[in-house]
Amino acid sequence: FQEYLVDRKVYDRRVSGEGTPFYIDFIGAVQKSDSVLGIKTQVTQELTTYGQAAEAVRQLTESGVKDIKVEYSGWSSGGLHGRAPGGVKALSCLERSGMDQQEFLRAMSEQGVPVFHTAQLQYVYRDKAFDGYRMESHAPRYYDNTEAQAASYLIPNGMKDGRSDPINMISPYYVEEMAETFLQRTKNYGLAGISVEGLACDLFSDFNSRHYVDRQTAAGYNCAAMEKLSASCQGALLGSNANDYAWPYLTDIRNVPMDSNRSQIIDEVVPFYGMVLHGYRDYAGGPVNLSGDVNTMILKSIESGAGICFEWICGDNSLLKDTEFDGLYSVNYEAWRETAINAWQRVNGATGALRGLRITGHERLSEGVYCTTYEDGTRVVVNYNGQDAQYEGNTVRAQDFLVVKEG
């Protein structure tokens, strides 16, 4: 499949550099409930200022971490769950530490750290007047012509979460127009990179009788939007869990699947997604600090040749109290800094030098022990078990890995 993508010019270059990509998603601000003059209202709560983010990157760099890539979420009006593209405006509260957006971008550029600012082109969490979005006009529709809305669901039972408001949606018919609006609104910000978030993976139809859009057509509209965004930032585009039609436009992919749902019908978990990407795109799984098992997440990254990712705020976790973001339960940078440095060192030591190579093989050696082979003959053996394993006369320690070089 990888050769097919090369032949079709989907892949036109190998990734460069030797080192494991270290993705940081800094959350700038969120909306939270507060009392102003005795009246309950929504206020903007800054979580990571530009100065704090720059200081965190400096500390990590001085600790030896390389190949850092920053995604800045919640940087514009409405915070993490913000407004329509026509209402995008940089938040001034993120400059309170004495560094503004332009100074931050310059500082990161001088250190060779790419920065991806998020652009939400499919969902409108806060619809405000004069933001260029009207639900009656821009939302996709069901068969009965009613407007479609997204919702949050509870993991235990799959039911809609009644605590969260429905989320307005943007029809794929208007996505390219929204991308142009976003670029127009941000043209003076000098954004060096853009994160398209779910635009690379969320695909839905619009049964509006005036402009019916099926999923295949929707994929074309989404690609056209990504092409515009890519051209505006010299190709620096980050996507989340991207479908393959988005790969030609992306330089980086986050939230790559590392595991399955472990249904009984599944015999083995094969890192096929990573095997197809490796050597041609930088990628990482979900945030390590929000995973159920940190060490297993690190080993999964090593097995699939992925980078690592952390989602952070530089403020205290308590700032997220009384917000809709209760899933961000462990995101304080200071609490995770040393763990993150050690995690990067482990992954980089295993696969950093293999970054630009193709994966040519993957096999299960025994229960809980897997081997990934690269085109130069290097083999990386990962042991998920609680006891040591043997491989060609070498010991693979429990919950650890072994790198075997060719020759």
Side-chain angles (χ1 to χ4, degrees):
F1 184 44
Q2 192 179 67
E3 291 174 355
Y4 167 82
L5 295 174
V6 172
D7 291 340
R8 294 290 296 270
K9 309 300 182 185
V10 173
Y11 292 157
D12 57 359
R13 63 188 182 281
R14 292 285 189 103
V15 296
S16 59
E18 289 190 359
T20 296
F22 186 102
Y23 292 91
I24 307 172
D25 182 6
F26 285 121
I27 303 174
V30 298
Q31 293 283 296
K32 68 182 301 183
S33 297
D34 199 2
S35 178
V36 179
L37 299 177
I39 301 174
K40 188 175 182 180
T41 186
Q42 291 285 311
V43 299
T44 300
Q45 172 65 63
E46 70 271 18
L47 303 174
T48 308
T49 64
Y50 292 119
Q52 290 173 326
E55 175 62 17
V57 171
R58 185 193 65 79
Q59 292 176 359
L60 292 169
T61 301
E62 290 184 352
S63 298
V65 178
K66 301 177 181 178
D67 296 290
I68 297 174
K69 302 191 179 196
V70 170
E71 178 179 2
Y72 219 113
S73 305
W75 63 277
S76 61
S77 304
L80 187 56
H81 282 175
R83 300 180 185 174
V88 169
K89 183 179 179 182
L91 292 172
S92 59
C93 64
L94 302 183
E95 302 176 358
R96 289 180 180 170
S97 57
M99 175 178 282
D100 63 23
Q101 186 183 48
Q102 299 304 308
E103 291 170 333
F104 174 72
L105 289 173
R106 282 196 296 271
M108 294 300 98
S109 177
E110 290 169 0
Q111 298 177 58
V113 176
V115 179
F116 303 88
H117 282 74
T118 56
Q120 184 53 263
L121 304 178
Q122 290 181 300
Y123 303 100
V124 180
Y125 294 91
R126 289 175 173 81
D127 185 14
K128 301 292 184 181
F130 310 111
D131 62 1
Y133 174 84
R134 291 180 64 248
M135 184 177 179
E136 298 80 4
S137 302
H138 296 100
R141 294 179 179 265
Y142 293 113
Y143 284 109
D144 62 0
N145 211 37
T146 57
E147 295 92 353
Q149 290 181 297
S152 299
Y153 293 86
L154 299 172
I155 293 176
N157 56 20
M159 302 293 289
K160 287 185 178 180
D161 187 352
R163 300 172 300 171
S164 301
D165 295 330
I167 305 166
N168 292 339
M169 303 170 69
I170 299 173
S171 167
Y173 183 79
Y174 294 106
V175 164
E176 190 174 359
E177 176 186 320
M178 292 294 175
E180 292 175 349
T181 300
F182 175 85
L183 293 174
Q184 183 65 27
R185 294 281 299 184
T186 60
K187 64 181 180 180
N188 295 325
Y189 294 154
L191 303 186
I194 296 174
S195 169
V196 297
E197 301 238 317
L199 184 65
C201 64
D202 291 356
L203 191 65
F204 45 83
S205 306
D206 182 2
F207 297 104
N208 191 317
S209 57
R210 293 176 298 168
H211 47 248
Y212 170 76
V213 180
D214 60 26
R215 283 166 55 83
Q216 189 64 39
T217 305
Y221 286 139
N222 289 0
C223 287
M226 285 185 280
E227 186 172 17
K228 285 184 179 295
L229 296 172
S230 177
S232 74
C233 56
Q234 292 78 50
L237 215 62
L238 171 69
S240 175
N241 192 22
N243 295 324
D244 63 353
Y245 55 76
W247 293 352
Y249 312 100
L250 303 177
T251 54
D252 299 81
I253 304 174
R254 274 190 52 210
N255 294 314
V256 165
M258 294 286 187
D259 210 333
S260 75
N261 58 10
R262 299 286 177 170
S263 169
Q264 290 184 348
I265 198 173
I266 296 174
D267 297 310
E268 289 293 341
V269 178
V270 179
F272 180 79
Y273 193 108
M275 292 171 70
V276 174
L277 288 178
H278 202 279
Y280 292 93
R281 295 290 185 272
D282 283 336
Y283 59 96
V288 173
N289 53 311
L290 296 178
S291 64
D293 186 327
V294 170
N295 192 55
T296 297
M297 188 66 177
I298 292 171
L299 293 178
K300 281 289 182 184
S301 299
I302 293 172
E303 182 188 355
S304 60
I308 58 171
C309 172
F310 284 82
E311 188 166 10
W312 281 334
I313 64 174
C314 290
D316 192 80
N317 286 326
S318 63
L319 294 175
L320 291 164
K321 186 178 180 181
D322 298 325
T323 73
E324 58 188 299
F325 304 100
D326 53 2
L328 302 176
Y329 48 82
S330 183
V331 290
N332 175 259
Y333 159 69
E334 286 293 341
W336 281 95
R337 180 174 60 186
E338 293 304 318
T339 300
I341 293 170
N342 292 333
W344 180 84
Q345 290 172 342
R346 288 186 69 193
V347 179
N348 186 63
T351 60
L354 308 171
R355 181 175 175 182
L357 301 180
R358 295 172 53 242
I359 293 176
T360 57
H362 178 272
E363 61 181 319
R364 174 183 181 269
L365 302 177
S366 60
E367 183 66 32
V369 182
Y370 298 87
C371 177
T372 304
T373 304
Y374 291 80
E375 63 179 311
D376 68 345
T378 300
R379 287 157 290 165
V380 180
V381 182
V382 175
N383 179 11
Y384 292 96
N385 298 317
Q387 59 279 343
D388 295 350
Q390 295 297 313
Y391 178 72
E392 296 185 349
N394 298 298
T395 298
V396 188
R397 297 177 63 86
Q399 292 284 299
D400 208 349
F401 64 90
L402 173 72
V403 179
V404 181
K405 298 286 187 179
E406 183 70 12

